[in-house]
Amino acid sequence: MGDLIEERIVTGVYPPGMRLDETELASGFGVSRTPIREALIQLSSAGLVEIRPRRGAIVAEIGPHRLCEMFEVMAELEAMCGRLAARRITGPEQLTLAAAHQACEDARDANDPDTYYRLNEQFHHLIYAASHNGFLEGQAAALHRRLRPYRRLQLRVRDRMSSSFAEHAGIVEAILAEDGELAAERLRGHVVVQGERFADLVASLPMLGDLGRSQVKPVSKA
């Protein structure tokens, strides 16, 4: 339920500032108000919805400049996770990461961006966990969640799944080789490339509104 509402927000079906009425949403989706309320609370924690006194849930506005800033921070957090993972990953974790990478290949071959994103998400979370730094893992996971709809839609850009998978291969190679600096560099590039490519897509998304579209600029590689 949360994913459906999330995508409608990102694609502009529910534009910034729109009030999300629980009763209307429940009727539209054919469910009770309880899963709708739970979904709105989750989306509020992700920054996509604001819960306001006496107004209820309102679609939040996320400006293009802030979005690019978030991708920059995400790139650095992932780079740090990769650097530590290369030093600290265990044998069983190496096998799990390799299996997750293989699963992404199957989704890529099936040209299934939604399944690829779900598996891609698992792949990244395995790297966060392999850093064996609980605080870092939590921070990376929280920002990943906030950027989730943008990263998911970005995978629908032509050929992005193939290039994403190729980048994953390089990341896995560096981590398994215990090369922390290379793992960090490749993860940073992987996420920043998302930011660059996604800038063009974001510029056309209704959720950002007309204000600021001209401000969307690619995030330069570090």
Side-chain angles (χ1 to χ4, degrees):
M1 187 58 61
D3 286 349
L4 292 175
I5 298 175
E6 177 182 277
E7 180 157 347
R8 291 188 180 188
I9 290 173
V10 174
T11 56
V13 176
Y14 301 152
M18 176 180 173
R19 180 172 179 270
L20 299 174
D21 183 85
E22 291 182 10
T23 301
E24 291 180 1
L25 289 173
S27 176
F29 286 110
V31 298
S32 70
R33 291 177 61 180
T34 299
I36 296 294
R37 186 178 302 113
E38 292 174 348
L40 292 177
I41 291 172
Q42 291 177 350
L43 292 171
S44 175
S45 68
L48 293 175
V49 167
E50 297 177 5
I51 308 295
R52 299 179 182 177
R54 296 183 296 280
R55 290 198 64 192
I58 306 295
V59 177
E61 296 187 52
I62 301 178
H65 180 68
R66 175 53 60 90
L67 190 60
C68 287
E69 289 179 335
M70 291 163 69
F71 268 108
E72 285 185 319
V73 173
M74 187 78 257
E76 293 305 319
L77 288 176
E78 296 225 12
M80 190 180 300
C81 286
R83 182 182 296 107
L84 292 177
R87 289 165 40 193
R88 300 174 178 176
I89 192 169
T90 66
E93 287 173 335
Q94 289 179 335
L95 295 176
T96 302
L97 183 63
H101 178 53
Q102 179 62 51
C104 285
E105 182 177 29
D106 295 338
R108 179 206 63 180
D109 292 344
N111 194 30
D112 185 345
D114 289 330
T115 297
Y116 183 92
Y117 177 75
R118 178 176 56 80
L119 296 169
N120 168 78
E121 192 171 46
Q122 293 175 1
F123 174 84
H124 282 270
H125 280 278
L126 287 171
I127 295 174
Y128 305 163
S131 73
H132 292 275
N133 182 313
F135 181 77
L136 175 60
E137 179 183 358
Q139 294 299 305
L143 186 52
H144 188 116
R145 168 60 186 166
R146 184 132 186 225
L147 289 171
R148 183 186 184 202
Y150 304 96
R151 295 177 74 159
R152 179 158 57 94
L153 285 179
Q154 191 268 341
L155 287 171
R156 297 181 183 180
V157 174
R158 188 177 64 179
D159 297 329
R160 180 54 196 158
M161 275 192 296
S162 293
S163 58
S164 172
F165 179 77
E167 291 160 13
H168 282 189
I171 291 164
V172 171
E173 178 185 50
I175 290 175
L176 297 186
E178 301 180 3
D179 190 333
E181 292 308 314
L182 183 58
E185 178 185 343
R186 288 179 174 175
L187 268 162
R188 184 184 295 110
H190 176 60
V191 176
V192 170
V193 163
Q194 285 188 322
E196 289 177 334
R197 291 176 181 269
F198 195 69
D200 293 334
L201 179 59
V202 166
S204 66
L205 287 180
M207 75 168 295
L208 288 177
D210 294 328
L211 179 63
R213 286 186 184 177
S214 61
Q215 302 172 25
V216 179
K217 298 177 181 179
V219 180
S220 60
K221 289 190 177 182

